[in-house]
Amino acid sequence: MKQHSSVIMKITFVLLTVTALFLSGCNSGNLPAASAAKTYRIGIIQLAEHPALDAATEGFQATLTEKLGDKVSFNLQNAQGEQTNCTTIVNKFVSDKVDLIMANATNAVKAAREATSKIPIVGTSVTDYVNSGLAASNAKPGANVTGASDNNPVSVQVELLQQLCPAVKTVGIVICSAEENSRIQADEAKTALEAAGYAVKIYTVADSNEIQTVVTKACGEVDAFYEPSDNLIASNVTTMSNITTAAGKPVICAEQSMCENGFLATYSISYYDLGCQAGKIAYDILVNGAKPASTPIFTFDASNLALFINKANAAELGIKIPETLK
Amino acid sequence: MQLLSLINSLPGAIAQGLIWGILALGVAVSYKILNYADLTVDGSLCTGGAVCAVCIAAGVNPYLALLFALLAGLLAGFVTGLLHTALGIPAILSGILSQLALYSINMRIMSKSNVTISRTQFTLILTSAEVRHAILVGTIAALAVIGLLFWFFGTELGYAIRATGNNEAMARAQGINTNTAKVIGLALSNGLVGFAGGLLAQYQGCSDINMGRGAIVIGLAAVVIGKAILGKRENLALRFSATVCGGIAYYIVLAIVIFAGLSTTDLKLFSAIIVACFLSVPFLKDKYLMLHPSKGGKPAC
């Protein structure tokens, strides 16, 4: 009995010590922050984890950290591709009363816009704010959502296809059926490709398990592929490129990291720069009091694009890179 | 032209079917032998893939990585077994709980939603870029697994597991610890699923958090198609081989379905229809023969 009570005493002591330490830890963390100048708290929600989105988030954080130093704190959350996670994360940001939400990719921006009409939302990696119903117009978004668009002119990608693979007649586009953003890009690419005289076929996949079946079918029907910046395909580039390369079909894609992971070539925007642009917009809103409703959406033009060619993939496909592209 | 491209796509379907056939062997162990519809599979396939991909990315030998994938699957099945036997949670629910928990565990293993192991950077056992080689490796792996299962279910422990699945009350009356048998059976089943996940991750060049979604349907499809192919013969090795053939048949049917010109958005619907067809055909056949004894069936008695 005596032993028991001494054990209980010890446990109580340990618990009390831990609680005391925890409380003092909290205090030392909170007090100076509250007494110092205002810290901007920013909630970042990223839809999925792949190099392009990661780069945009990095660019955003780097820009704001450079401008605001330690007067900015980030709460970075990743939804791992799930819409339900987006809602949970955004609701947390809203109840935390963050000063600004940075939402990375279309579905993340949508979740944020549903959750709040007060907190300013800055988007990145969204292709078309207007068609996705996020803004009234690119010049005057009209609500609490503004940001930077990753839309880039498809015409330059078409020219790239013509230069690298002159014999191609039919082009396939594989997109995820759940991504509205990809559908917009695919339709845009279809128009541009058809205007250049190609036949175009659009294929959809529902999840990573279907990629092999659908791409194998597509390889039998097309001479080459164009891949927009679809999040599912961006995460599973190797799955697709293993099949297309074995079948001898080149893939022109919309974005640099997809090219590095196995596709042939692209004129790409830099997602890091895209994030930086979003960071500048966020700075204007936080510090200069700009209103999201009247802050125009940033869009890249052709002069911002850089050429990337996956030389290993070109060699496997037996494609000679013309002098003009070297 | 259409037919030619269909024929060109068949080797890919066979390679994919072989890997899913190994998964189906795992499903056969739980569903057919243990009489336990185990939904852990949707999570443990990804666990196997995740462990294998993370190991390979860290420079581990790809064969060793497959072994780790198998062990991770074993552990997942072990937990499901404990949930069911030690905590008395119903079979379906314990599988669903493990599957749910595995989502977070798989995220922890990969520390992101997708790990790429490109054939250009790592030596892999099989890859979808070299389908013929993949078919060879898949066949060897499937045969090895069938051989091991055939041997295992001939041992005393194997018989105990089979008896538990056939008639649990009778098995217990014979002095078999049916709880132990179930836990071992489920661990074995998910170990095979994890092994298949490891092969799949190498084959497609990455492991993805969603790669197991719907795996149980494909596994069940392979099991029931295999049974439909084989009819009523009972030899265990034949039944296992038929299950692997069922996996291949599933992917060939799927290839034919989409080459027939149906939209790829309908794939999930057709997966369900394929499984429903193969599940119902033996039943309807028996019913037809019962009503028409002159066609060779036996009258109901």
Side-chain angles (χ1 to χ4, degrees), chain A residues 191-250:
Chain A
T191 313
L193 285 161
E194 280 175 348
Y198 293 104
V200 180
K201 290 189 172 179
I202 296 180
Y203 303 86
T204 59
V205 288
D207 57 39
S208 54
N209 287 340
E210 287 186 9
I211 293 176
Q212 161 147 25
T213 315
V214 173
V215 172
T216 308
K217 172 190 160 71
C219 280
E221 298 176 349
V222 304
D223 309 316
F225 289 89
Y226 171 70
E227 279 306 307
S229 56
D230 179 280
N231 288 308
L232 181 72
I233 299 293
S235 306
N236 296 281
V237 167
T238 40
T239 310
M240 178 162 167
S241 76
N242 275 355
I243 300 158
T244 53
T245 307
K249 313 287 177 184

Short mmCIF file of all heavy atoms in Angstrom, two decimals, chain A residues 191-250:
data_model
loop_
_atom_site.label_atom_id
_atom_site.label_comp_id
_atom_site.label_asym_id
_atom_site.label_seq_id
_atom_site.Cartn_x
_atom_site.Cartn_y
_atom_site.Cartn_z
N THR A 191 -8.68 22.96 -79.50
CA THR A 191 -8.96 24.02 -80.47
C THR A 191 -7.67 24.44 -81.18
O THR A 191 -7.63 24.52 -82.42
CB THR A 191 -9.56 25.25 -79.74
OG1 THR A 191 -10.59 24.78 -78.88
CG2 THR A 191 -10.12 26.24 -80.72
N ALA A 192 -6.60 24.64 -80.38
CA ALA A 192 -5.35 25.10 -80.98
C ALA A 192 -4.75 24.04 -81.91
O ALA A 192 -4.24 24.35 -82.99
CB ALA A 192 -4.35 25.46 -79.88
N LEU A 193 -4.82 22.76 -81.47
CA LEU A 193 -4.24 21.68 -82.28
C LEU A 193 -5.04 21.48 -83.57
O LEU A 193 -4.48 21.27 -84.64
CB LEU A 193 -4.21 20.38 -81.48
CG LEU A 193 -3.13 20.30 -80.40
CD1 LEU A 193 -3.45 19.22 -79.38
CD2 LEU A 193 -1.75 20.04 -81.02
N GLU A 194 -6.35 21.56 -83.45
CA GLU A 194 -7.18 21.37 -84.65
C GLU A 194 -6.97 22.52 -85.64
O GLU A 194 -6.96 22.30 -86.85
CB GLU A 194 -8.66 21.24 -84.26
CG GLU A 194 -8.97 19.83 -83.76
CD GLU A 194 -10.40 19.65 -83.25
OE1 GLU A 194 -11.11 20.66 -83.06
OE2 GLU A 194 -10.78 18.49 -83.03
N ALA A 195 -6.75 23.71 -85.09
CA ALA A 195 -6.49 24.86 -85.96
C ALA A 195 -5.18 24.64 -86.73
O ALA A 195 -5.02 25.11 -87.86
CB ALA A 195 -6.41 26.13 -85.14
N ALA A 196 -4.23 23.90 -86.12
CA ALA A 196 -2.95 23.63 -86.77
C ALA A 196 -3.03 22.39 -87.67
O ALA A 196 -2.03 21.95 -88.22
CB ALA A 196 -1.87 23.44 -85.73
N GLY A 197 -4.22 21.79 -87.79
CA GLY A 197 -4.40 20.70 -88.74
C GLY A 197 -4.29 19.30 -88.14
O GLY A 197 -4.26 18.30 -88.87
N TYR A 198 -4.24 19.17 -86.82
CA TYR A 198 -4.16 17.85 -86.20
C TYR A 198 -5.55 17.31 -85.89
O TYR A 198 -6.49 18.08 -85.65
CB TYR A 198 -3.39 17.93 -84.87
CG TYR A 198 -1.92 18.26 -85.02
CD1 TYR A 198 -1.45 19.53 -84.72
CD2 TYR A 198 -1.02 17.28 -85.44
CE1 TYR A 198 -0.10 19.83 -84.85
CE2 TYR A 198 0.32 17.57 -85.56
CZ TYR A 198 0.78 18.85 -85.27
OH TYR A 198 2.10 19.14 -85.40
N ALA A 199 -5.66 15.97 -85.88
CA ALA A 199 -6.86 15.35 -85.32
C ALA A 199 -6.60 15.16 -83.83
O ALA A 199 -5.48 14.83 -83.45
CB ALA A 199 -7.14 14.02 -85.99
N VAL A 200 -7.58 15.38 -82.98
CA VAL A 200 -7.37 15.33 -81.53
C VAL A 200 -8.34 14.36 -80.87
O VAL A 200 -9.53 14.33 -81.22
CB VAL A 200 -7.54 16.74 -80.89
CG1 VAL A 200 -7.33 16.68 -79.40
CG2 VAL A 200 -6.56 17.72 -81.52
N LYS A 201 -7.82 13.55 -79.96
CA LYS A 201 -8.70 12.68 -79.17
C LYS A 201 -8.44 12.91 -77.70
O LYS A 201 -7.30 12.88 -77.26
CB LYS A 201 -8.42 11.21 -79.50
CG LYS A 201 -8.87 10.82 -80.89
CD LYS A 201 -8.78 9.33 -81.08
CE LYS A 201 -9.43 8.96 -82.41
NZ LYS A 201 -9.36 7.54 -82.67
N ILE A 202 -9.50 13.14 -76.92
CA ILE A 202 -9.35 13.36 -75.48
C ILE A 202 -9.78 12.09 -74.74
O ILE A 202 -10.81 11.50 -75.03
CB ILE A 202 -10.20 14.56 -75.01
CG1 ILE A 202 -9.69 15.84 -75.69
CG2 ILE A 202 -10.15 14.71 -73.50
CD1 ILE A 202 -10.44 17.11 -75.31
N TYR A 203 -8.92 11.63 -73.82
CA TYR A 203 -9.22 10.45 -73.00
C TYR A 203 -9.28 10.86 -71.54
O TYR A 203 -8.55 11.74 -71.11
CB TYR A 203 -8.11 9.39 -73.16
CG TYR A 203 -7.88 8.97 -74.58
CD1 TYR A 203 -7.01 9.69 -75.40
CD2 TYR A 203 -8.52 7.86 -75.10
CE1 TYR A 203 -6.79 9.31 -76.71
CE2 TYR A 203 -8.30 7.47 -76.42
CZ TYR A 203 -7.44 8.20 -77.21
OH TYR A 203 -7.22 7.82 -78.50
N THR A 204 -10.13 10.20 -70.77
CA THR A 204 -10.17 10.53 -69.34
C THR A 204 -9.85 9.29 -68.49
O THR A 204 -10.15 8.17 -68.87
CB THR A 204 -11.55 11.06 -68.91
OG1 THR A 204 -12.52 10.06 -69.20
CG2 THR A 204 -11.89 12.34 -69.62
N VAL A 205 -9.21 9.53 -67.35
CA VAL A 205 -8.95 8.48 -66.37
C VAL A 205 -9.53 8.94 -65.04
O VAL A 205 -9.56 10.13 -64.75
CB VAL A 205 -7.44 8.19 -66.20
CG1 VAL A 205 -6.89 7.48 -67.40
CG2 VAL A 205 -6.67 9.46 -65.93
N ALA A 206 -9.98 7.97 -64.21
CA ALA A 206 -10.57 8.34 -62.93
C ALA A 206 -9.55 8.28 -61.81
O ALA A 206 -9.59 9.07 -60.88
CB ALA A 206 -11.74 7.42 -62.61
N ASP A 207 -8.59 7.35 -61.88
CA ASP A 207 -7.56 7.27 -60.84
C ASP A 207 -6.31 6.61 -61.40
O ASP A 207 -6.28 6.19 -62.56
CB ASP A 207 -8.07 6.53 -59.59
CG ASP A 207 -8.55 5.13 -59.92
OD1 ASP A 207 -7.91 4.46 -60.75
OD2 ASP A 207 -9.58 4.71 -59.37
N SER A 208 -5.27 6.52 -60.56
CA SER A 208 -3.98 6.04 -61.07
C SER A 208 -4.06 4.62 -61.60
O SER A 208 -3.31 4.24 -62.49
CB SER A 208 -2.91 6.17 -59.99
OG SER A 208 -3.33 5.51 -58.81
N ASN A 209 -5.00 3.80 -61.08
CA ASN A 209 -5.11 2.41 -61.56
C ASN A 209 -5.55 2.32 -63.01
O ASN A 209 -5.33 1.30 -63.67
CB ASN A 209 -6.13 1.64 -60.72
CG ASN A 209 -5.58 1.32 -59.36
OD1 ASN A 209 -4.37 1.33 -59.16
ND2 ASN A 209 -6.46 1.06 -58.41
N GLU A 210 -6.20 3.36 -63.51
CA GLU A 210 -6.74 3.29 -64.87
C GLU A 210 -5.77 3.80 -65.92
O GLU A 210 -6.00 3.62 -67.11
CB GLU A 210 -8.04 4.10 -64.95
CG GLU A 210 -9.20 3.42 -64.25
CD GLU A 210 -10.52 4.16 -64.44
OE1 GLU A 210 -10.57 5.11 -65.25
OE2 GLU A 210 -11.47 3.78 -63.78
N ILE A 211 -4.69 4.45 -65.47
CA ILE A 211 -3.80 5.12 -66.43
C ILE A 211 -3.27 4.14 -67.47
O ILE A 211 -3.34 4.38 -68.67
CB ILE A 211 -2.66 5.84 -65.70
CG1 ILE A 211 -3.23 7.01 -64.88
CG2 ILE A 211 -1.62 6.38 -66.69
CD1 ILE A 211 -2.21 7.74 -64.03
N GLN A 212 -2.77 2.98 -66.99
CA GLN A 212 -2.18 2.03 -67.94
C GLN A 212 -3.17 1.59 -69.02
O GLN A 212 -2.87 1.61 -70.21
CB GLN A 212 -1.65 0.81 -67.20
CG GLN A 212 -1.48 -0.36 -68.17
CD GLN A 212 -0.34 -1.27 -67.84
OE1 GLN A 212 0.09 -1.38 -66.71
NE2 GLN A 212 0.18 -1.93 -68.84
N THR A 213 -4.38 1.20 -68.61
CA THR A 213 -5.37 0.70 -69.56
C THR A 213 -5.71 1.78 -70.59
O THR A 213 -5.74 1.51 -71.80
CB THR A 213 -6.65 0.28 -68.81
OG1 THR A 213 -6.27 -0.48 -67.67
CG2 THR A 213 -7.55 -0.54 -69.68
N VAL A 214 -5.97 2.99 -70.11
CA VAL A 214 -6.41 4.06 -71.00
C VAL A 214 -5.26 4.50 -71.93
O VAL A 214 -5.46 4.65 -73.14
CB VAL A 214 -6.94 5.26 -70.19
CG1 VAL A 214 -7.24 6.43 -71.09
CG2 VAL A 214 -8.18 4.84 -69.42
N VAL A 215 -4.05 4.65 -71.37
CA VAL A 215 -2.94 5.12 -72.19
C VAL A 215 -2.58 4.07 -73.23
O VAL A 215 -2.26 4.39 -74.38
CB VAL A 215 -1.71 5.49 -71.32
CG1 VAL A 215 -0.51 5.80 -72.17
CG2 VAL A 215 -2.05 6.69 -70.45
N THR A 216 -2.66 2.78 -72.86
CA THR A 216 -2.37 1.72 -73.83
C THR A 216 -3.35 1.79 -75.00
O THR A 216 -2.97 1.69 -76.15
CB THR A 216 -2.47 0.34 -73.16
OG1 THR A 216 -1.66 0.35 -72.00
CG2 THR A 216 -1.99 -0.75 -74.09
N LYS A 217 -4.62 1.99 -74.67
CA LYS A 217 -5.62 2.13 -75.74
C LYS A 217 -5.28 3.35 -76.61
O LYS A 217 -5.27 3.26 -77.83
CB LYS A 217 -7.01 2.32 -75.12
CG LYS A 217 -8.10 2.68 -76.13
CD LYS A 217 -9.38 3.09 -75.40
CE LYS A 217 -10.34 3.90 -76.26
NZ LYS A 217 -11.00 3.14 -77.30
N ALA A 218 -4.95 4.46 -75.93
CA ALA A 218 -4.67 5.69 -76.67
C ALA A 218 -3.48 5.53 -77.59
O ALA A 218 -3.48 6.02 -78.72
CB ALA A 218 -4.45 6.84 -75.68
N CYS A 219 -2.44 4.80 -77.12
CA CYS A 219 -1.22 4.61 -77.93
C CYS A 219 -1.55 3.96 -79.27
O CYS A 219 -0.86 4.18 -80.26
CB CYS A 219 -0.20 3.76 -77.18
SG CYS A 219 0.73 4.69 -75.97
N GLY A 220 -2.60 3.12 -79.29
CA GLY A 220 -2.97 2.47 -80.53
C GLY A 220 -3.69 3.40 -81.49
O GLY A 220 -3.91 3.05 -82.65
N GLU A 221 -4.09 4.56 -81.01
CA GLU A 221 -4.94 5.42 -81.83
C GLU A 221 -4.34 6.77 -82.20
O GLU A 221 -4.89 7.49 -83.02
CB GLU A 221 -6.28 5.66 -81.10
CG GLU A 221 -7.05 4.38 -80.87
CD GLU A 221 -8.32 4.57 -80.06
OE1 GLU A 221 -8.51 5.67 -79.49
OE2 GLU A 221 -9.12 3.64 -79.99
N VAL A 222 -3.24 7.14 -81.52
CA VAL A 222 -2.68 8.47 -81.80
C VAL A 222 -1.18 8.35 -82.09
O VAL A 222 -0.56 7.33 -81.82
CB VAL A 222 -2.90 9.44 -80.61
CG1 VAL A 222 -4.37 9.55 -80.26
CG2 VAL A 222 -2.11 8.98 -79.40
N ASP A 223 -0.61 9.44 -82.66
CA ASP A 223 0.82 9.43 -82.98
C ASP A 223 1.64 10.12 -81.90
O ASP A 223 2.84 9.89 -81.79
CB ASP A 223 1.05 10.17 -84.31
CG ASP A 223 0.15 9.65 -85.41
OD1 ASP A 223 0.02 8.42 -85.50
OD2 ASP A 223 -0.45 10.46 -86.14
N ALA A 224 1.00 10.99 -81.13
CA ALA A 224 1.72 11.73 -80.08
C ALA A 224 0.70 12.21 -79.06
O ALA A 224 -0.51 12.09 -79.28
CB ALA A 224 2.45 12.92 -80.69
N PHE A 225 1.23 12.71 -77.92
CA PHE A 225 0.33 13.21 -76.88
C PHE A 225 0.68 14.65 -76.53
O PHE A 225 1.83 15.07 -76.65
CB PHE A 225 0.47 12.38 -75.60
CG PHE A 225 -0.08 11.00 -75.72
CD1 PHE A 225 0.72 9.95 -76.17
CD2 PHE A 225 -1.40 10.73 -75.38
CE1 PHE A 225 0.21 8.67 -76.27
CE2 PHE A 225 -1.91 9.45 -75.48
CZ PHE A 225 -1.10 8.42 -75.93
N TYR A 226 -0.36 15.40 -76.10
CA TYR A 226 -0.12 16.66 -75.43
C TYR A 226 -0.74 16.54 -74.04
O TYR A 226 -1.90 16.16 -73.89
CB TYR A 226 -0.74 17.84 -76.19
CG TYR A 226 -0.68 19.11 -75.38
CD1 TYR A 226 0.55 19.73 -75.16
CD2 TYR A 226 -1.81 19.63 -74.76
CE1 TYR A 226 0.64 20.85 -74.34
CE2 TYR A 226 -1.73 20.75 -73.96
CZ TYR A 226 -0.49 21.35 -73.75
OH TYR A 226 -0.40 22.45 -72.93
N GLU A 227 0.04 16.82 -72.99
CA GLU A 227 -0.48 16.71 -71.62
C GLU A 227 -0.57 18.08 -70.95
O GLU A 227 0.44 18.71 -70.70
CB GLU A 227 0.42 15.81 -70.77
CG GLU A 227 0.15 14.34 -70.98
CD GLU A 227 -1.31 13.98 -70.77
OE1 GLU A 227 -1.89 14.32 -69.73
OE2 GLU A 227 -1.88 13.38 -71.70
N PRO A 228 -1.80 18.54 -70.65
CA PRO A 228 -1.93 19.78 -69.87
C PRO A 228 -1.49 19.55 -68.43
O PRO A 228 -1.16 18.41 -68.06
CB PRO A 228 -3.43 20.09 -69.95
CG PRO A 228 -4.10 18.82 -70.29
CD PRO A 228 -3.10 17.95 -70.97
N SER A 229 -1.48 20.59 -67.61
CA SER A 229 -0.99 20.41 -66.24
C SER A 229 -2.07 19.79 -65.36
O SER A 229 -2.66 20.44 -64.52
CB SER A 229 -0.51 21.74 -65.66
OG SER A 229 -1.54 22.70 -65.73
N ASP A 230 -2.32 18.51 -65.60
CA ASP A 230 -3.31 17.74 -64.85
C ASP A 230 -2.65 17.18 -63.60
O ASP A 230 -1.58 16.59 -63.68
CB ASP A 230 -3.82 16.61 -65.76
CG ASP A 230 -4.84 15.72 -65.09
OD1 ASP A 230 -4.44 14.84 -64.31
OD2 ASP A 230 -6.03 15.92 -65.35
N ASN A 231 -3.29 17.35 -62.43
CA ASN A 231 -2.63 16.94 -61.18
C ASN A 231 -2.43 15.42 -61.09
O ASN A 231 -1.40 14.95 -60.60
CB ASN A 231 -3.42 17.42 -59.98
CG ASN A 231 -3.30 18.92 -59.81
OD1 ASN A 231 -2.20 19.46 -59.77
ND2 ASN A 231 -4.42 19.60 -59.76
N LEU A 232 -3.40 14.63 -61.55
CA LEU A 232 -3.27 13.17 -61.48
C LEU A 232 -2.12 12.70 -62.37
O LEU A 232 -1.28 11.90 -61.95
CB LEU A 232 -4.58 12.49 -61.89
CG LEU A 232 -4.54 10.97 -61.84
CD1 LEU A 232 -4.53 10.48 -60.40
CD2 LEU A 232 -5.72 10.37 -62.58
N ILE A 233 -2.08 13.21 -63.61
CA ILE A 233 -1.02 12.79 -64.53
C ILE A 233 0.33 13.32 -64.03
O ILE A 233 1.34 12.61 -64.07
CB ILE A 233 -1.30 13.27 -65.97
CG1 ILE A 233 -2.62 12.67 -66.49
CG2 ILE A 233 -0.15 12.91 -66.90
CD1 ILE A 233 -2.60 11.18 -66.70
N ALA A 234 0.35 14.55 -63.50
CA ALA A 234 1.61 15.11 -62.99
C ALA A 234 2.18 14.23 -61.88
O ALA A 234 3.39 14.08 -61.76
CB ALA A 234 1.39 16.53 -62.49
N SER A 235 1.30 13.61 -61.06
CA SER A 235 1.79 12.73 -59.99
C SER A 235 2.21 11.37 -60.52
O SER A 235 2.90 10.63 -59.85
CB SER A 235 0.70 12.50 -58.94
OG SER A 235 0.21 13.70 -58.45
N ASN A 236 1.74 10.99 -61.69
CA ASN A 236 1.99 9.64 -62.22
C ASN A 236 2.63 9.68 -63.60
O ASN A 236 2.31 8.86 -64.46
CB ASN A 236 0.68 8.85 -62.27
CG ASN A 236 0.09 8.62 -60.90
OD1 ASN A 236 0.52 7.75 -60.17
ND2 ASN A 236 -0.88 9.45 -60.53
N VAL A 237 3.55 10.63 -63.78
CA VAL A 237 4.19 10.77 -65.09
C VAL A 237 4.89 9.48 -65.51
O VAL A 237 4.77 9.03 -66.65
CB VAL A 237 5.18 11.96 -65.08
CG1 VAL A 237 6.06 11.92 -66.31
CG2 VAL A 237 4.44 13.27 -65.02
N THR A 238 5.59 8.83 -64.56
CA THR A 238 6.34 7.61 -64.93
C THR A 238 5.40 6.53 -65.43
O THR A 238 5.72 5.81 -66.38
CB THR A 238 7.11 7.05 -63.74
OG1 THR A 238 6.31 7.17 -62.58
CG2 THR A 238 8.42 7.77 -63.54
N THR A 239 4.23 6.39 -64.79
CA THR A 239 3.28 5.36 -65.21
C THR A 239 2.91 5.56 -66.68
O THR A 239 2.87 4.61 -67.45
CB THR A 239 2.01 5.44 -64.34
OG1 THR A 239 2.40 5.48 -62.98
CG2 THR A 239 1.10 4.26 -64.58
N MET A 240 2.65 6.81 -67.04
CA MET A 240 2.26 7.09 -68.42
C MET A 240 3.45 7.01 -69.37
O MET A 240 3.36 6.42 -70.45
CB MET A 240 1.59 8.47 -68.50
CG MET A 240 1.19 8.84 -69.92
SD MET A 240 -0.01 10.17 -69.95
CE MET A 240 0.07 10.62 -71.69
N SER A 241 4.59 7.60 -68.97
CA SER A 241 5.72 7.68 -69.91
C SER A 241 6.34 6.31 -70.17
O SER A 241 6.85 6.05 -71.26
CB SER A 241 6.78 8.67 -69.41
OG SER A 241 7.52 8.10 -68.37
N ASN A 242 6.28 5.39 -69.19
CA ASN A 242 6.75 4.02 -69.44
C ASN A 242 6.04 3.43 -70.65
O ASN A 242 6.65 2.76 -71.48
CB ASN A 242 6.44 3.13 -68.23
CG ASN A 242 7.51 3.21 -67.16
OD1 ASN A 242 8.53 3.86 -67.35
ND2 ASN A 242 7.28 2.55 -66.04
N ILE A 243 4.74 3.69 -70.74
CA ILE A 243 3.94 3.08 -71.80
C ILE A 243 4.11 3.83 -73.11
O ILE A 243 4.33 3.23 -74.16
CB ILE A 243 2.45 3.06 -71.39
CG1 ILE A 243 2.30 2.23 -70.10
CG2 ILE A 243 1.58 2.48 -72.48
CD1 ILE A 243 1.06 2.55 -69.33
N THR A 244 4.05 5.17 -73.05
CA THR A 244 4.15 5.94 -74.29
C THR A 244 5.54 5.78 -74.92
O THR A 244 5.66 5.65 -76.12
CB THR A 244 3.87 7.43 -74.05
OG1 THR A 244 4.73 7.89 -73.00
CG2 THR A 244 2.43 7.66 -73.66
N THR A 245 6.58 5.77 -74.07
CA THR A 245 7.93 5.64 -74.62
C THR A 245 8.12 4.27 -75.27
O THR A 245 8.67 4.15 -76.35
CB THR A 245 8.98 5.85 -73.51
OG1 THR A 245 8.70 7.07 -72.86
CG2 THR A 245 10.38 5.90 -74.08
N ALA A 246 7.61 3.21 -74.60
CA ALA A 246 7.73 1.86 -75.17
C ALA A 246 6.98 1.77 -76.49
O ALA A 246 7.39 1.06 -77.40
CB ALA A 246 7.20 0.83 -74.18
N ALA A 247 5.88 2.52 -76.61
CA ALA A 247 5.11 2.49 -77.85
C ALA A 247 5.66 3.47 -78.88
O ALA A 247 5.13 3.57 -79.99
CB ALA A 247 3.64 2.80 -77.54
N GLY A 248 6.70 4.21 -78.52
CA GLY A 248 7.32 5.15 -79.45
C GLY A 248 6.51 6.41 -79.68
O GLY A 248 6.59 7.03 -80.75
N LYS A 249 5.69 6.80 -78.69
CA LYS A 249 4.87 8.00 -78.86
C LYS A 249 5.43 9.15 -78.02
O LYS A 249 5.53 9.03 -76.81
CB LYS A 249 3.43 7.73 -78.41
CG LYS A 249 2.81 6.45 -78.94
CD LYS A 249 2.47 6.56 -80.40
CE LYS A 249 1.92 5.21 -80.89
NZ LYS A 249 1.65 5.22 -82.34
N PRO A 250 5.81 10.25 -78.66
CA PRO A 250 6.31 11.40 -77.91
C PRO A 250 5.19 12.12 -77.14
O PRO A 250 4.04 12.10 -77.57
CB PRO A 250 6.88 12.31 -79.00
CG PRO A 250 6.21 11.91 -80.25
CD PRO A 250 5.81 10.48 -80.11
#
